[in-house]
């Protein structure tokens, strides 16, 4: 919508109400028109280790064929030092985390790992947050479970448009879907890399109250003291 017109007429462009817009912008960069409005904000983050591997894989696929692909070591060093398109990862995440703590009725902070572990409960919480809770009849009829099935990673990855479609930027939609698994970072990062990132998580998240589940298999958590 915004690619060719920075000031689109959303009233006529978006026929569905309420409108749903997505962005990668950090909270500090959101305009006051959003922060001061009645709009709801749903922020979803992923643990830093899996997020980095997903990012590196994505950028690797998008690399200019005339240039040498960015190695894992190079990408790790940049990520570790906060060189990222939308600002340092931890500043980005903590911006929304702190805002959600201050204004929980406006900002819902979700973690990908939690969604993978118990999607049904989080769907109910999301519906409640948006002001459209499921009715008792809908829950008894299995509506929550059906939505979870329809929008599961496994199902969406097999949707025709995600297998053959092309993004407006020219990127094949297949480039946006990899594995969607928690803890896959262990298949790529060296023990030294993982240790460095874990220490960085503890340093950056100190006293924030935000924790990350790094592996659903080991239930390993990085907890802020």
């Amino acid at each position: 919508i915004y690619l060719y017109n920075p000031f689109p007429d959303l009233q006529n462009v978006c026929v569905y109400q309420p409108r749903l817009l997505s962005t990668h912008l950090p909270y500090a960069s959101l305009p006051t028109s959003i922060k001061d409005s009645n709009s709801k904000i749903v922020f979803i983050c992923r643990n830093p280790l899996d997020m980095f591997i997903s990012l590196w894989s994505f950028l690797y696929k998008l690399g200019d064929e005339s240039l040498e692909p960015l190695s894992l070591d190079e990408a790790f060093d940049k990520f570790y030092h906060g060189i990222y398109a939308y600002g340092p990862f931890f500043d980005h995440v903590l911006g929304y985390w702190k805002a959600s703590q201050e204004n929980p009725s406006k900002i819902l902070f979700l973690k990908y790992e939690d969604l993978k572990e118990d999607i049904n409960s989080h769907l109910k919480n999301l519906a409640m947050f948006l002001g459209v809770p499921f009715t008792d009849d809908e829950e008894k009829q299995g509506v929550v479970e059906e939505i979870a099935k329809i929008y599961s990673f496994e199902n969406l990855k097999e949707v025709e448009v995600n297998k053959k479609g092309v993004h407006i930027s020219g990127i094949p939609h297949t480039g946006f879907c990899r594995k969607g698994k928690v803890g896959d970072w262990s298949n790529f990062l060296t023990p030294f890399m993982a240790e460095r990132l874990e220490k960085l998580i503890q340093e950056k998240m100190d006293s924030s109250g935000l924790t990350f589940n790094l592996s659903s298999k080991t239930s390993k958590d990085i907890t802020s003291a």
Side-chain angles (χ1 to χ4, degrees):
I1 294 175
Y2 288 89
L3 186 62
Y4 302 110
N5 181 5
F7 305 104
D9 180 6
L10 295 179
Q11 197 64 37
N12 293 316
V13 172
C14 301
V15 296
Y16 297 105
Q17 299 289 339
R19 288 185 289 266
L20 175 63
L21 303 177
S22 63
T23 181
H24 288 293
L25 286 177
Y27 184 76
S29 297
L30 294 179
T32 54
S33 59
I34 292 179
K35 295 177 181 178
D36 297 340
S37 71
N38 293 323
S39 299
K40 298 277 190 175
I41 297 175
V42 179
F43 180 78
I44 303 178
C45 77
R46 196 172 184 182
N47 80 66
L49 283 74
D50 276 330
M51 181 273 179
F52 164 68
I53 291 301
S54 179
L55 172 67
W56 173 68
S57 175
F58 181 66
L59 294 177
Y60 193 91
K61 294 177 181 178
L62 301 184
D64 190 323
E65 294 182 359
S66 64
L67 301 175
E68 190 72 23
L70 193 65
S71 69
L72 181 63
D73 288 337
E74 291 176 302
F76 180 87
D77 188 65
K78 291 181 182 295
F79 181 77
Y80 182 87
H81 289 98
I83 302 174
Y84 177 53
Y86 300 99
F89 174 85
F90 297 100
D91 292 347
H92 192 128
V93 170
L94 282 175
Y96 280 98
W97 171 254
K98 292 176 180 177
S100 70
Q101 299 298 294
E102 295 169 358
N103 197 351
S105 63
K106 181 178 177 64
I107 304 172
L108 178 63
F109 190 100
L110 298 174
K111 290 184 281 189
Y112 182 78
E113 295 75 27
D114 293 342
L115 297 176
K116 291 285 287 186
E117 185 175 341
D118 185 6
I119 184 61
N120 292 347
S121 294
H122 287 289
L123 275 176
K124 294 178 186 179
N125 290 339
L126 175 60
M128 186 74 70
F129 172 76
L130 296 176
V132 286
F134 293 103
T135 64
D136 291 339
D137 285 342
E138 286 174 329
E139 290 194 31
K140 291 177 181 178
Q141 293 169 11
V143 173
V144 179
E145 289 77 9
E146 186 63 21
I147 291 175
K149 179 181 178 181
I150 292 174
Y151 291 100
S152 67
F153 181 87
E154 292 74 19
N155 190 60
L156 289 180
K157 189 174 183 179
E158 295 303 315
V159 173
E160 192 68 14
V161 68
N162 287 333
K163 292 198 294 184
K164 297 182 179 180
V166 178
H167 189 263
I168 193 170
S169 62
I171 304 169
H173 286 167
T174 53
F176 293 92
C177 301
R178 200 173 66 88
K179 295 182 179 180
K181 295 188 179 299
V182 177
D184 189 53
W185 59 266
S186 60
N187 295 315
F188 297 87
L189 297 180
T190 65
F192 177 68
M193 287 178 171
E195 183 180 358
R196 285 186 69 193
L197 266 185
E198 288 176 13
K199 288 182 178 178
L200 185 63
I201 294 171
Q202 291 178 326
E203 175 188 326
K204 296 293 186 179
M205 301 288 104
D206 185 42
S207 301
S208 69
L210 177 60
T211 64
F212 288 108
N213 185 329
L214 302 183
S215 173
S216 59
K217 295 179 181 179
T218 63
S219 297
K220 183 176 182 181
D221 291 322
I222 292 297
T223 307
S224 302

